[in-house]
Short mmCIF file of all heavy atoms in Angstrom, two decimals:
data_model
loop_
_atom_site.label_atom_id
_atom_site.label_comp_id
_atom_site.label_asym_id
_atom_site.label_seq_id
_atom_site.Cartn_x
_atom_site.Cartn_y
_atom_site.Cartn_z
N ARG A 9 0.85 -1.19 0.00
CA ARG A 9 0.00 0.02 0.01
C ARG A 9 0.90 1.23 0.01
O ARG A 9 1.49 1.58 1.01
CB ARG A 9 -0.93 -0.03 1.22
CG ARG A 9 -1.85 -1.23 1.26
CD ARG A 9 -2.62 -1.30 2.57
NE ARG A 9 -1.76 -1.52 3.68
CZ ARG A 9 -2.11 -1.45 4.97
NH1 ARG A 9 -3.36 -1.13 5.25
NH2 ARG A 9 -1.27 -1.66 5.95
N SER A 10 0.99 1.88 -1.15
CA SER A 10 1.87 3.02 -1.29
C SER A 10 1.26 4.09 -2.13
O SER A 10 0.25 3.83 -2.86
CB SER A 10 3.23 2.58 -1.88
OG SER A 10 3.02 2.00 -3.15
N ALA A 11 1.80 5.31 -2.06
CA ALA A 11 1.28 6.38 -2.85
C ALA A 11 2.33 7.47 -3.00
O ALA A 11 3.21 7.62 -2.16
CB ALA A 11 0.03 6.99 -2.22
N THR A 12 2.24 8.24 -4.07
CA THR A 12 3.14 9.36 -4.34
C THR A 12 2.25 10.58 -4.65
O THR A 12 1.35 10.52 -5.44
CB THR A 12 4.08 9.07 -5.51
OG1 THR A 12 4.87 7.91 -5.21
CG2 THR A 12 4.98 10.27 -5.77
N ILE A 13 2.62 11.68 -4.01
CA ILE A 13 1.89 12.93 -4.21
C ILE A 13 2.91 14.01 -4.64
O ILE A 13 3.94 14.19 -3.94
CB ILE A 13 1.17 13.40 -2.96
CG1 ILE A 13 0.08 12.38 -2.54
CG2 ILE A 13 0.56 14.80 -3.16
CD1 ILE A 13 -1.08 12.28 -3.48
N GLU A 14 2.62 14.69 -5.69
CA GLU A 14 3.40 15.88 -6.09
C GLU A 14 2.44 17.04 -6.09
O GLU A 14 1.39 17.02 -6.77
CB GLU A 14 4.08 15.70 -7.44
CG GLU A 14 5.17 14.64 -7.41
CD GLU A 14 5.98 14.57 -8.67
OE1 GLU A 14 6.59 15.62 -9.03
OE2 GLU A 14 6.01 13.52 -9.31
N ARG A 15 2.75 18.10 -5.34
CA ARG A 15 1.81 19.22 -5.15
C ARG A 15 2.60 20.51 -5.32
O ARG A 15 3.41 20.86 -4.46
CB ARG A 15 1.19 19.11 -3.77
CG ARG A 15 0.06 20.06 -3.49
CD ARG A 15 -0.55 19.79 -2.12
NE ARG A 15 -1.76 20.54 -1.91
CZ ARG A 15 -1.77 21.78 -1.40
NH1 ARG A 15 -0.64 22.36 -1.10
NH2 ARG A 15 -2.92 22.40 -1.22
N ASN A 16 2.36 21.23 -6.37
CA ASN A 16 3.09 22.47 -6.62
C ASN A 16 2.13 23.65 -6.73
O ASN A 16 1.15 23.62 -7.47
CB ASN A 16 3.83 22.33 -7.97
CG ASN A 16 4.92 21.22 -7.91
OD1 ASN A 16 5.59 21.07 -6.91
ND2 ASN A 16 4.99 20.44 -8.97
N THR A 17 2.37 24.66 -5.90
CA THR A 17 1.62 25.87 -5.92
C THR A 17 2.61 27.06 -5.98
O THR A 17 3.83 26.86 -6.01
CB THR A 17 0.73 26.04 -4.68
OG1 THR A 17 1.56 26.28 -3.54
CG2 THR A 17 -0.08 24.77 -4.45
N LYS A 18 2.08 28.27 -5.94
CA LYS A 18 2.95 29.47 -5.92
C LYS A 18 3.66 29.59 -4.54
O LYS A 18 4.59 30.36 -4.43
CB LYS A 18 2.14 30.70 -6.19
CG LYS A 18 1.64 30.77 -7.64
CD LYS A 18 0.87 32.08 -7.87
CE LYS A 18 0.32 32.13 -9.33
NZ LYS A 18 -0.43 33.37 -9.57
N GLU A 19 3.20 28.81 -3.58
CA GLU A 19 3.72 28.91 -2.23
C GLU A 19 4.69 27.77 -1.85
O GLU A 19 5.65 27.97 -1.13
CB GLU A 19 2.58 28.97 -1.24
CG GLU A 19 1.68 30.17 -1.41
CD GLU A 19 0.35 30.07 -0.71
OE1 GLU A 19 -0.01 28.95 -0.26
OE2 GLU A 19 -0.31 31.10 -0.59
N THR A 20 4.42 26.58 -2.41
CA THR A 20 5.28 25.40 -2.08
C THR A 20 5.36 24.45 -3.26
O THR A 20 4.49 24.40 -4.10
CB THR A 20 4.67 24.61 -0.91
OG1 THR A 20 3.32 24.23 -1.21
CG2 THR A 20 4.69 25.41 0.39
N GLU A 21 6.51 23.73 -3.29
CA GLU A 21 6.68 22.62 -4.21
C GLU A 21 6.98 21.41 -3.36
O GLU A 21 7.94 21.37 -2.60
CB GLU A 21 7.85 22.88 -5.15
CG GLU A 21 7.65 24.06 -6.06
CD GLU A 21 8.87 24.33 -6.94
OE1 GLU A 21 9.80 23.49 -6.95
OE2 GLU A 21 8.92 25.36 -7.61
N ILE A 22 6.13 20.38 -3.49
CA ILE A 22 6.18 19.24 -2.57
C ILE A 22 6.19 17.90 -3.31
O ILE A 22 5.45 17.70 -4.26
CB ILE A 22 4.97 19.27 -1.61
CG1 ILE A 22 4.97 20.53 -0.77
CG2 ILE A 22 4.91 18.03 -0.73
CD1 ILE A 22 3.79 20.62 0.20
N PHE A 23 7.04 17.01 -2.82
CA PHE A 23 7.02 15.62 -3.21
C PHE A 23 6.91 14.74 -1.96
O PHE A 23 7.70 14.90 -1.00
CB PHE A 23 8.31 15.26 -3.93
CG PHE A 23 8.48 13.77 -4.25
CD1 PHE A 23 7.96 13.25 -5.45
CD2 PHE A 23 9.14 12.91 -3.37
CE1 PHE A 23 8.04 11.91 -5.72
CE2 PHE A 23 9.23 11.55 -3.66
CZ PHE A 23 8.69 11.07 -4.87
N VAL A 24 5.91 13.90 -1.92
CA VAL A 24 5.70 13.00 -0.78
C VAL A 24 5.43 11.58 -1.29
O VAL A 24 4.66 11.37 -2.24
CB VAL A 24 4.50 13.45 0.09
CG1 VAL A 24 4.17 12.39 1.12
CG2 VAL A 24 4.77 14.78 0.77
N GLU A 25 6.09 10.64 -0.71
CA GLU A 25 5.92 9.23 -1.03
C GLU A 25 5.79 8.44 0.26
O GLU A 25 6.57 8.63 1.18
CB GLU A 25 7.09 8.72 -1.84
CG GLU A 25 6.92 7.32 -2.43
CD GLU A 25 8.06 6.99 -3.38
OE1 GLU A 25 9.22 7.09 -2.96
OE2 GLU A 25 7.77 6.65 -4.53
N VAL A 26 4.77 7.59 0.34
CA VAL A 26 4.55 6.75 1.53
C VAL A 26 4.40 5.28 1.16
O VAL A 26 3.91 4.95 0.08
CB VAL A 26 3.36 7.19 2.37
CG1 VAL A 26 3.46 8.61 2.88
CG2 VAL A 26 2.03 7.00 1.57
N ASN A 27 4.84 4.45 2.08
CA ASN A 27 4.61 2.99 2.00
C ASN A 27 4.10 2.59 3.39
O ASN A 27 4.82 2.60 4.36
CB ASN A 27 5.91 2.27 1.67
CG ASN A 27 5.76 0.76 1.75
OD1 ASN A 27 4.68 0.22 1.92
ND2 ASN A 27 6.90 0.05 1.63
N LEU A 28 2.79 2.25 3.43
CA LEU A 28 2.18 1.92 4.70
C LEU A 28 2.71 0.65 5.29
O LEU A 28 2.65 0.42 6.50
CB LEU A 28 0.68 1.78 4.56
CG LEU A 28 -0.10 3.01 3.99
CD1 LEU A 28 -1.58 2.74 4.06
CD2 LEU A 28 0.29 4.28 4.73
N ASP A 29 3.28 -0.22 4.46
CA ASP A 29 3.78 -1.52 4.92
C ASP A 29 5.33 -1.52 5.04
O ASP A 29 5.97 -2.50 4.70
CB ASP A 29 3.30 -2.61 3.96
CG ASP A 29 1.81 -2.66 3.87
OD1 ASP A 29 1.15 -2.75 4.93
OD2 ASP A 29 1.25 -2.54 2.74
N GLY A 30 5.83 -0.40 5.48
CA GLY A 30 7.29 -0.23 5.56
C GLY A 30 7.87 -0.62 6.90
O GLY A 30 7.30 -1.38 7.71
N THR A 31 8.99 -0.03 7.19
CA THR A 31 9.74 -0.29 8.49
C THR A 31 10.04 1.00 9.21
O THR A 31 10.77 1.00 10.18
CB THR A 31 11.04 -1.03 8.19
OG1 THR A 31 11.87 -0.26 7.29
CG2 THR A 31 10.76 -2.40 7.55
N GLY A 32 9.50 2.14 8.72
CA GLY A 32 9.77 3.39 9.40
C GLY A 32 11.02 4.10 8.91
O GLY A 32 11.63 4.87 9.67
N THR A 33 11.40 3.87 7.69
CA THR A 33 12.54 4.61 7.11
C THR A 33 12.04 5.92 6.55
O THR A 33 10.90 6.05 6.06
CB THR A 33 13.25 3.85 6.01
OG1 THR A 33 12.34 3.55 4.93
CG2 THR A 33 13.76 2.50 6.57
N TYR A 34 12.90 6.97 6.59
CA TYR A 34 12.44 8.29 6.20
C TYR A 34 13.57 9.09 5.56
O TYR A 34 14.73 8.87 5.78
CB TYR A 34 11.89 9.05 7.41
CG TYR A 34 12.85 9.10 8.60
CD1 TYR A 34 13.89 10.02 8.62
CD2 TYR A 34 12.72 8.19 9.65
CE1 TYR A 34 14.75 10.06 9.68
CE2 TYR A 34 13.58 8.24 10.72
CZ TYR A 34 14.60 9.18 10.75
OH TYR A 34 15.48 9.19 11.78
N ASP A 35 13.12 10.03 4.76
CA ASP A 35 14.00 11.05 4.15
C ASP A 35 13.16 12.33 4.06
O ASP A 35 12.31 12.49 3.17
CB ASP A 35 14.43 10.62 2.73
CG ASP A 35 15.28 11.63 2.02
OD1 ASP A 35 15.66 12.67 2.64
OD2 ASP A 35 15.57 11.43 0.81
N VAL A 36 13.33 13.20 5.04
CA VAL A 36 12.44 14.36 5.23
C VAL A 36 13.21 15.64 5.17
O VAL A 36 14.23 15.80 5.85
CB VAL A 36 11.70 14.26 6.59
CG1 VAL A 36 10.82 15.51 6.78
CG2 VAL A 36 10.86 13.01 6.69
N SER A 37 12.79 16.55 4.33
CA SER A 37 13.42 17.87 4.23
C SER A 37 12.32 18.91 3.90
O SER A 37 11.84 18.99 2.79
CB SER A 37 14.48 17.88 3.13
OG SER A 37 15.06 19.17 3.01
N THR A 38 11.94 19.69 4.93
CA THR A 38 10.89 20.70 4.77
C THR A 38 11.46 22.09 4.77
O THR A 38 10.77 23.06 4.43
CB THR A 38 9.84 20.59 5.87
OG1 THR A 38 10.47 20.99 7.10
CG2 THR A 38 9.25 19.23 5.98
N GLY A 39 12.70 22.23 5.20
CA GLY A 39 13.30 23.56 5.39
C GLY A 39 13.08 24.11 6.79
O GLY A 39 13.60 25.17 7.15
N ILE A 40 12.31 23.38 7.62
CA ILE A 40 12.07 23.77 9.00
C ILE A 40 12.59 22.61 9.88
O ILE A 40 11.99 21.57 9.93
CB ILE A 40 10.54 24.01 9.29
CG1 ILE A 40 9.98 25.03 8.32
CG2 ILE A 40 10.36 24.48 10.74
CD1 ILE A 40 8.47 25.16 8.38
N GLY A 41 13.69 22.83 10.54
CA GLY A 41 14.37 21.74 11.23
C GLY A 41 13.55 21.02 12.23
O GLY A 41 13.54 19.79 12.28
N PHE A 42 12.79 21.74 13.07
CA PHE A 42 12.00 21.06 14.09
C PHE A 42 10.87 20.27 13.48
O PHE A 42 10.54 19.17 13.96
CB PHE A 42 11.48 22.06 15.12
CG PHE A 42 11.02 21.39 16.39
CD1 PHE A 42 11.90 21.09 17.41
CD2 PHE A 42 9.67 21.05 16.55
CE1 PHE A 42 11.47 20.47 18.57
CE2 PHE A 42 9.26 20.40 17.70
CZ PHE A 42 10.15 20.11 18.71
N LEU A 43 10.27 20.80 12.38
CA LEU A 43 9.19 20.08 11.69
C LEU A 43 9.76 18.78 11.14
O LEU A 43 9.09 17.72 11.22
CB LEU A 43 8.55 20.94 10.64
CG LEU A 43 7.37 20.33 9.88
CD1 LEU A 43 6.24 19.93 10.82
CD2 LEU A 43 6.89 21.27 8.79
N ASP A 44 10.95 18.84 10.54
CA ASP A 44 11.60 17.62 10.03
C ASP A 44 11.69 16.59 11.14
O ASP A 44 11.35 15.42 10.94
CB ASP A 44 13.01 17.93 9.53
CG ASP A 44 13.06 18.70 8.24
OD1 ASP A 44 12.01 18.98 7.64
OD2 ASP A 44 14.16 19.06 7.84
N HIS A 45 12.14 17.03 12.31
CA HIS A 45 12.32 16.14 13.43
C HIS A 45 11.02 15.48 13.84
O HIS A 45 10.97 14.25 14.13
CB HIS A 45 12.91 16.93 14.60
CG HIS A 45 13.16 16.15 15.85
ND1 HIS A 45 13.81 14.93 15.87
CD2 HIS A 45 12.91 16.43 17.17
CE1 HIS A 45 13.90 14.48 17.10
NE2 HIS A 45 13.34 15.37 17.90
#
């Protein structure tokens, strides 16, 4: 069970990919350090 979302507006450019049956691996970069955490 997985999905990919690309969402581009005048305010943000976003790429998100999830796999619900994963192991909790991540690669997160939002530009806001605490939000990443």
Side-chain angles (χ1 to χ4, degrees):
R9 299 173 295 170
S10 59
T12 300
I13 298 292
E14 293 188 58
R15 189 176 188 274
N16 298 317
T17 70
K18 292 181 179 179
E19 299 165 345
T20 56
E21 297 177 8
I22 298 181
F23 174 88
V24 171
E25 188 171 55
V26 299
N27 173 8
L28 303 186
D29 301 307
T31 58
T33 61
Y34 53 81
D35 178 7
V36 177
S37 177
T38 67
I40 305 171
F42 197 84
L43 182 60
D44 288 356
H45 180 46

